[in-house]
Amino acid sequence: MVEFLTKYPKTMSFLDGKSDKVKVDTKGVEQLTIVVKKSVEEMLKIFSNEGFTHVKFEHKQETQIGSGLSLKLKKPWEMHVRLLEMKKGLVAIQAEVEVSRDYLQHLFCQRTPVFYEIETLLKKHQIEYKIWNERIRKYVNTVLDNYKVKLTTPSFPVLAWKPMVYVISTIGVLYLFKYLMTV
């Protein structure tokens, strides 16, 4: 298994000349939002072309548009992207990296917001964007420095839940059959 290494904006300056730091607390790193002037349909098409697929089960956010998207990274990691409503004509994008939904550890493992991975994708498709800080309620002018973020692989080996369901179901059916044969 591999660790996931990235960087994330730490200190930002705003159009009014003031600067502030992205907050880090026990819940993790404060989420920054990327805002684009594109339609949801255009963004979904771009993400689909980049290999993202729709997420079936997720905790939807209040302003989330449709289902989230995910992209498998190096095992066991995946990137989860949500498109959110902003003002008319603007779409907000939030992304995080977490243990893949294919594993039980997804339910309780570390996750972190990501920024530069989405920025790279937008630059590749020549899409202009702005960075929105919800806590301060301002657009970011410049990122001055970054946090180095390291997600470590779970200490307990990741367990794929789909094969486990198959095995448990098969054993359950066999024991049910055995019980019915003795009645």
Side-chain angles (χ1 to χ4, degrees):
M1 301 295 167
V2 294
E3 297 170 331
F4 182 80
L5 302 172
T6 190
K7 54 187 182 163
Y8 195 75
K10 180 178 183 180
T11 310
M12 308 157 293
S13 69
F14 300 94
L15 294 174
D16 60 7
K18 295 180 181 176
S19 64
D20 201 346
K21 289 187 185 272
V22 170
K23 300 296 180 196
V24 179
D25 59 22
T26 55
K27 295 177 186 175
V29 181
E30 174 183 10
Q31 178 82 53
L32 295 174
T33 303
I34 297 173
V35 180
V36 296
K37 286 184 179 181
K38 290 284 184 185
S39 71
V40 171
E41 293 75 24
E42 286 178 276
M43 293 309 300
L44 289 174
K45 184 176 179 183
I46 289 168
F47 281 115
S48 178
N49 290 341
E50 291 293 328
F52 284 81
T53 57
H54 285 280
V55 173
K56 291 179 179 78
F57 302 107
E58 67 178 327
H59 296 289
K60 287 194 176 186
Q61 293 185 4
E62 222 175 274
T63 59
Q64 185 170 334
I65 303 167
S67 297
L69 303 162
S70 72
L71 176 69
K72 301 278 190 233
L73 304 172
K74 291 182 180 177
K75 188 177 177 182
W77 307 107
E78 79 177 16
M79 186 183 320
H80 183 198
V81 173
R82 290 182 173 93
L83 301 180
L84 308 165
E85 282 183 35
M86 285 262 314
K87 293 187 269 181
K88 190 172 187 169
L90 299 177
V91 174
I93 304 168
Q94 291 184 344
E96 63 186 14
V97 168
E98 57 196 353
V99 170
S100 173
R101 286 168 175 70
D102 293 342
Y103 306 105
L104 287 175
Q105 284 85 341
H106 172 79
L107 299 172
F108 50 86
C109 267
Q110 182 182 9
R111 60 192 67 204
T112 191
V114 290
F115 170 79
Y116 292 108
E117 291 78 359
I118 300 301
E119 179 186 55
T120 301
L121 185 143
L122 294 174
K123 284 181 178 178
K124 175 181 174 184
H125 292 274
Q126 300 173 345
I127 297 172
E128 291 184 30
Y129 64 91
K130 291 183 179 180
I131 308 164
W132 175 254
N133 185 303
E134 182 64 31
R135 176 179 53 85
I136 299 172
R137 306 209 44 83
K138 291 182 185 177
Y139 284 105
V140 174
N141 186 38
T142 309
V143 174
L144 302 173
D145 64 347
N146 295 293
Y147 288 111
K148 290 181 181 177
V149 180
K150 177 174 147 180
L151 291 177
T152 57
T153 55
S155 55
F156 189 78
V158 289
L159 300 170
W161 63 269
K162 291 175 186 174
M164 290 175 62
V165 168
Y166 175 76
V167 169
I168 291 169
S169 299
T170 302
I171 291 170
V173 167
L174 290 174
Y175 272 101
L176 177 64
F177 181 73
K178 181 179 175 183
Y179 170 76
L180 292 174
M181 294 305 286
T182 59
V183 173

